[in-house]
Amino acid sequence: MSFLRLVISFCFISFSASAQKDYKLWLQYEKKINAKLVTNYLQDIQGIVAFGNSETLKIGLNELDLGLNNMLGNKISMKSKLEGDKNIIIGSKESLSLEIQKEIGNIDQINDEGFIIKSILIKNKKQIVITGKKDIGVLYGIYSFLRLVQSDKSIKNLNIADAPKTNIRILNHWDNLDRTVERGYAGFSLWNWQKLPDFIDQRYIDYARANASIGINGTVLTNVNANALILTPQYLEKVEALANVFRPYGIKVYLTARFSAPIEIGGLKTADPKDAEVMNWWKNKAAEIYKRIPDFGGFLVKANSEGQPGPQNYGRDHVDGANMLADAVAPFGGVIMWRAFVYSEHDANDRAKQAYAEFVPYDGKFKENVIVQVKNGAIDFQPREPFHPMFGAMPKTPLMIEFQITQEYLGFSTHLVFLPKLFQEVLASDTYQKGEGTTVAKVIDGTLNKTKLTGIAGVSNIGNDLNWTGHPFAQANWYGFGRLAWNPYLDAETIADEWLRCTFSNNENFVKPVAAMMIESREAVVNYMTPLGLHHIMDTGHHYGPGPWVSNLSRPEWNPVYYHKADKNGIGFDRSKTGTNATAQYAPEIEKTFDNLETCPENELLWFHHVSWDYKLKNGQTLWNGLALKYQEGVNQVAAMQNIWNKTHKYVDDERFKEVQMLLEIQYKEAKWWRDACLLYFQQYSEKELPLGVEKSTQSLDYFKSLKFPFAPGN
Ligand code: GCW
């Protein structure tokens, strides 16, 4: 072997060994060394017995086999009969013997996707049964059981009944047909349209498996800024191939529908939703899709928003558009997810108020297979936003929440930010729609208004990078999204703990500090980017790094100066009664709290108020000093994260350790960049010195303004 080949093969070996860990996500199934608790109860397990033979059940069986034998050493075999002392029995309830069924108890406590995991005695022999109403529930149960084992949880006397609280738990891929990903920071799109339908990339299977393991049951393959070509036979054939891969994993495929498709690919003169030919075109299109994909989920639509076509092009409204599409997919059980992310260049109103103003009057007017998809906040996926007022205001309309897993405004895949903390904050926010305790979670899981159709969407952070998400810790955001979509009442701490144990190590000396680091990371990014309620001050277009000075864009609401409104008197957007009165879109209890400068939570202060530089914060600092100290705190928090991570080497493989270490170093540098650029800029207005404890910038404001990122990803 030549020297060069030797070097190449050596690189390849070391690269693939650790890369595999990165690739395996939270399904590492590391060999257990000291996990007494688990092995004690599993050690005399002799076999896995499956009842049923669906593809879904086979996947579950293989997963148990892989997981348990990897973790416990090869000693568990698949058996065709119940014999020996201890077995794991899998199968839907009705496929099990009556004797076992009796032991399981009441299956009606769970829904069709739920599962029961129970330790039972059959003829005096111990068994663990994993069951559900359907095989997909069994599969979810298997992943849940494996998670217990992976994270060293006791599996003695199991008696678990769990079921998802929402119907549609879905990833939104903003993937274009040329494989670029809008706001994607993890490489190119997974969907290799050119090689589909005949070439099935192993990645599609691994993607489906990862999603199933956290209960995600839907995927929108294409960007909401849609291309009509996806609806042509040439592409539908490819979509069908993906749907076939995903089906046994319980994942339905959805597409984005470009509203003008009847014109662009249908040869019609109009896309007017009230035009008979247009209606017919969509009906036929739906029939064509369902012929290929009988369980096709439906369409996601961005209409009359940021230049996308929609019903308003024809003098119609969102209800007309959504209901027309709803009629087309209804005969097949399809759903229309209609986005409420609208704001208009012709509307001089506060952008934060526009979606509510436009949609709330439509409450109760949508067909029953329409669900309105609302972003978590009223502007746009900022590090912190108050919950979207629409969640408290449309009791007669199914609303699904849209989170952004990809970090468009939160440092791309370069910064470590654990998003479940953000998601949880929104879900737990009280809308007061029906008095105290009527949280966003209760609105979207349907318990508050008895909504039948429910859902949670997450804009995917997945690409074809080896580790899927660009940053090893961004995997936790995909994971956490799935877990919260399943159960919107889970807390971020639990999710961080689970994810770390399954992804890295069960060692307490690792899990405790690193979980704390993850939890802290969200507030850190708020502090070094947009403290005290600041928002949308990122640089133009790509949204990476600070750009509070930007004021030259054609639409006023695209400019950061529109949002922070810094001047000699102070800073912040007055959305109280004295300003745009956006506070009035909330229930009276919330309105009152936000409206009053004294009661407005300080972490939303500048979202709702224009506050004088000398205003006294609760801690006695002036606003200017408080703001500067928050920026510094953000920087310090990142330094603390680095300290924690630097002590973890012995628990983490080399490659992932170094990846995270390098990324945290960049994050630290960029936290300082944010602090310095923003404070220098705002200082022009406050005309005040930095308080003690805040480091001075070594660069000038002009230097920060001069930075350009022409090829920033995702743009
Ligand atoms: O956050 C903004 C993004 C756009 C995106 C839009 C949306 C897909 O900057 O890239 O377009 O929101 O959510 O529709």
Side-chain angles (χ1 to χ4, degrees), residues 428-448:
S429 297
D430 202 338
T431 69
Y432 277 84
Q433 188 184 120
K434 295 194 173 152
E436 200 180 340
T438 50
T439 57
V440 172
K442 285 190 179 161
V443 175
I444 60 126
D445 79 355
T447 49
L448 187 64

Side-chain angles (χ1 to χ4, degrees), residues 247-267:
R247 185 169 299 114
Y249 292 88
I251 296 166
K252 281 189 185 179
V253 160
Y254 299 68
L255 293 173
T256 45
R258 185 157 165 91
F259 206 77
S260 50
I263 304 174
E264 286 160 25
I265 59 167

Side-chain angles (χ1 to χ4, degrees), residues 237-304:
E237 193 188 7
K238 301 166 193 282
V239 174
E240 179 185 346
L242 288 173
N244 290 341
V245 174
F246 300 161
R247 185 169 299 114
Y249 292 88
I251 296 166
K252 281 189 185 179
V253 160
Y254 299 68
L255 293 173
T256 45
R258 185 157 165 91
F259 206 77
S260 50
I263 304 174
E264 286 160 25
I265 59 167
L268 301 191
K269 292 217 169 54
T270 176
D272 181 347
K274 298 255 168 159
D275 180 284
E277 271 192 280
V278 171
M279 292 190 246
N280 235 343
W281 188 87
W282 282 109
K283 284 197 169 135
N284 291 334
K285 187 48 75 183
E288 179 191 343
I289 297 175
Y290 279 93
K291 201 163 165 217
R292 290 179 178 280
I293 310 167
D295 57 351
F296 179 67
F299 294 123
L300 169 65
V301 190
K302 171 176 178 179
N304 295 120

Side-chain angles (χ1 to χ4, degrees), residues 38-58:
V38 172
T39 40
N40 277 353
Y41 291 103
L42 275 176
Q43 67 190 357
D44 40 326
I45 282 198
Q46 278 137 356
I48 310 167
V49 192
F51 291 92
N53 54 12
S54 70
E55 281 303 304
T56 304
L57 204 68
K58 276 185 213 151

Side-chain angles (χ1 to χ4, degrees), residues 174 182-183 223-225 302 305-306 339 341 375 380-381 402 404 408-409 541 543:
W174 287 356
E182 184 156 348
R183 311 310 178 183
N223 192 351
V224 287
N225 290 331
K302 171 176 178 179
S305 159
E306 298 185 332
R339 292 176 96 226
F341 177 65
K375 287 191 183 182
D380 199 6
F381 300 138
E402 176 178 338
Q404 195 180 42
E408 173 181 357
Y409 294 99
H543 298 150

